[in-house]
Amino acid sequence: MNKKNVILGVLLVGVIAVIGVWYFIFYRPTHFKRDVTDEKAIVVSAKDIVKEFQSNEAEANKKYLNKAVEVTGEVIECKKDQEGHPTVTLKSDDAFSNVQVTLKGDKQLEAKGGSTLTIKGIVNGNLSDVIIIEAVVTKQ
Amino acid sequence: MIKTTIVLFFLNILIVYSIQAQKIYATKTAQIKFESSTSTEDFDATNNQVESKLSDNGQVEFKLLMKGFVFDNEMMQDHFNGKEYMESDKFPKAEFKGTIANIASVNFAKDGAYPIMASGNLTIKGITVKESAAGLIIIEKGKVNTKSSFKIKLKDFGIVGKDIGTVISNNITITVSAKYE
């Protein structure tokens, strides 16, 4: 093995290392976001998930936080947030606490108040509403 | 007797009027953004699921879930929520409860951008610190919006990860925008 080959080998390893670092630290985390579409989800109604968070938030967090859920409920209203993502509120039995869903994309959801909707998304936690993000509509 | 009845009648109107007079504006999609800028790296993250209430008597509050902050880089987001920084599993929420001192200068019935000064308690990672911030209440066609931008020090909230001071600035700029209904 001559000196030239050693230098070439070292250069090659260096280039691969740089590309690897760039891919795993900068490219992949910005280009491949979590997509729940094909994830197995916990199936629950809007009424039940709100009840669970109200009766024991710590337990509900353990069960649902960061997990994919498929939630069915009655539509209260459809809107958009300040960045233009569509949102939909699903009704529970408590008028002050519902399920607040932010959908992927930027297309306003067309769903009438009172109609039934099923979404699949990631549970982010509970404020006055249970918050679900990165959601897709699975049944309308 | 008649006099008493008349007095009671007007007193009643006054009480009913004053109860109705306090109006609360609310939204569940307020936006809070934070920015860090150092010579090594600039980054920001945005939370679009912030709950906020504003009363025309000057009371104001914001509540959010730490995991609602979205970064461009998902790996950075994981670090942010992780043990070294926000410990979002242990401290999932942050909130601000305060008052606007000069609320009397805001005419909610008239379009305009009214400068305000809010102060109150900001709780992040279980630590409450008194903060104050200048901002605007903007009235446009009957809709009420607020905007504010202020700086906080991470160390005040016990956030002392190893990259603070180098990659992450200790002084974070918080920008708030709420469009009430």
Side-chain angles (χ1 to χ4, degrees):
Chain A
M1 201 154 64
N2 62 27
K3 217 174 171 185
K4 205 175 163 189
N5 283 348
V6 173
I7 293 170
L8 270 179
V10 169
L11 269 179
L12 196 67
V13 169
V15 167
I16 290 171
V18 167
I19 291 174
V21 167
W22 168 79
Y23 179 78
F24 283 104
I25 295 182
F26 297 103
Y27 187 80
R28 198 167 183 272
T30 52
H31 288 76
F32 295 95
K33 300 255 173 181
R34 182 173 171 189
D35 185 358
V36 288
T37 316
D38 298 323
E39 279 186 42
K40 196 167 180 278
I42 304 170
V43 177
V44 65
S45 71
K47 288 179 180 181
D48 286 345
I49 197 168
V50 168
K51 265 186 214 150
E52 283 181 60
F53 270 97
Q54 283 180 334
S55 62
N56 190 338
E57 191 170 337
E59 278 302 310
N61 272 331
K62 267 188 210 162
K63 184 173 171 186
Y64 292 112
L65 210 59
N66 287 332
K67 307 263 171 66
V69 286
E70 192 158 14
V71 181
T72 304
E74 188 184 320
V75 173
I76 297 178
E77 59 182 357
C78 300
K79 287 187 174 173
K80 276 192 169 188
D81 70 15
Q82 289 194 42
E83 275 191 350
H85 302 122
T87 65
V88 57
T89 311
L90 300 176
K91 196 177 174 183
S92 81
D93 287 331
D94 180 345
F96 291 139
S97 183
N98 297 297
V99 178
Q100 176 73 18
V101 183
T102 304
L103 296 160
K104 282 184 173 199
D106 52 14
K107 200 170 153 248
Q108 172 89 47
L109 176 68
E110 302 288 342
K112 279 195 184 125
S115 64
T116 303
L117 186 78
T118 305
I119 60 91
K120 198 172 175 187
I122 303 163
V123 177
N124 228 0
N126 182 48
L127 288 171
S128 63
D129 288 353
V130 175
I131 313 273
I132 294 178
I133 57 161
E134 298 286 315
V136 289
V137 173
T138 53
K139 201 174 163 194
Q140 190 172 1
Chain B
M1 181 68 192
I2 294 172
K3 216 173 172 181
T4 318
T5 315
I6 292 170
V7 169
L8 280 175
F9 176 72
F10 280 107
L11 204 64
N12 205 11
I13 288 178
L14 202 71
I15 290 168
V16 169
Y17 181 74
S18 65
I19 290 169
Q20 282 177 343
Q22 188 189 327
K23 192 155 193 271
I24 293 170
Y25 303 92
T27 176
K28 285 173 180 173
T29 53
Q31 185 184 69
I32 290 184
K33 190 173 180 178
F34 71 77
E35 285 164 88
S36 162
S37 178
T38 64
S39 53
T40 325
E41 194 163 6
D42 294 343
F43 67 88
D44 57 53
T46 308
N47 188 326
N48 282 303
Q49 294 98 28
V50 180
E51 288 187 3
S52 177
K53 281 182 190 155
L54 167 73
S55 164
D56 61 2
N57 72 5
Q59 252 179 294
V60 63
E61 69 172 51
F62 290 87
K63 276 186 196 170
L64 61 81
L65 293 165
M66 296 312 296
K67 289 196 177 178
F69 280 106
V70 177
F71 291 67
D72 272 345
N73 188 319
E74 228 172 33
M75 195 182 262
M76 228 179 222
Q77 194 168 322
D78 289 345
H79 280 167
F80 169 80
N81 286 310
K83 282 213 167 113
E84 200 179 346
Y85 295 100
M86 301 315 299
E87 296 182 78
S88 301
D89 283 336
K90 202 169 160 192
F91 305 104
K93 295 172 194 178
E95 66 169 31
F96 174 81
K97 278 188 179 174
T99 48
I100 296 164
N102 59 333
I103 193 75
S105 66
V106 180
N107 182 353
F108 284 84
K110 194 181 167 200
D111 280 9
Y114 302 90
I116 48 157
M117 194 68 203
S119 59
N121 292 324
L122 177 64
T123 308
I124 302 173
K125 227 183 155 183
I127 294 176
T128 303
V129 175
K130 282 211 181 310
E131 297 279 356
S132 46
L136 286 174
I137 287 186
I138 300 154
I139 315 286
E140 203 180 353
K141 292 174 190 161
K143 296 268 183 196
V144 179
N145 300 335
T146 59
K147 279 182 194 300
S148 175
S149 185
F150 59 100
K151 280 188 193 294
I152 60 162
K153 286 191 169 68
L154 291 182
K155 284 179 182 153
D156 290 350
F157 296 92
I159 304 158
V160 287
K162 69 171 165 38
D163 291 332
I164 292 169
T166 52
V167 183
I168 305 163
S169 169
N170 182 44
N171 295 308
I172 299 288
T173 305
I174 312 269
T175 310
V176 181
S177 165
K179 296 183 173 181
Y180 297 102
E181 285 153 24

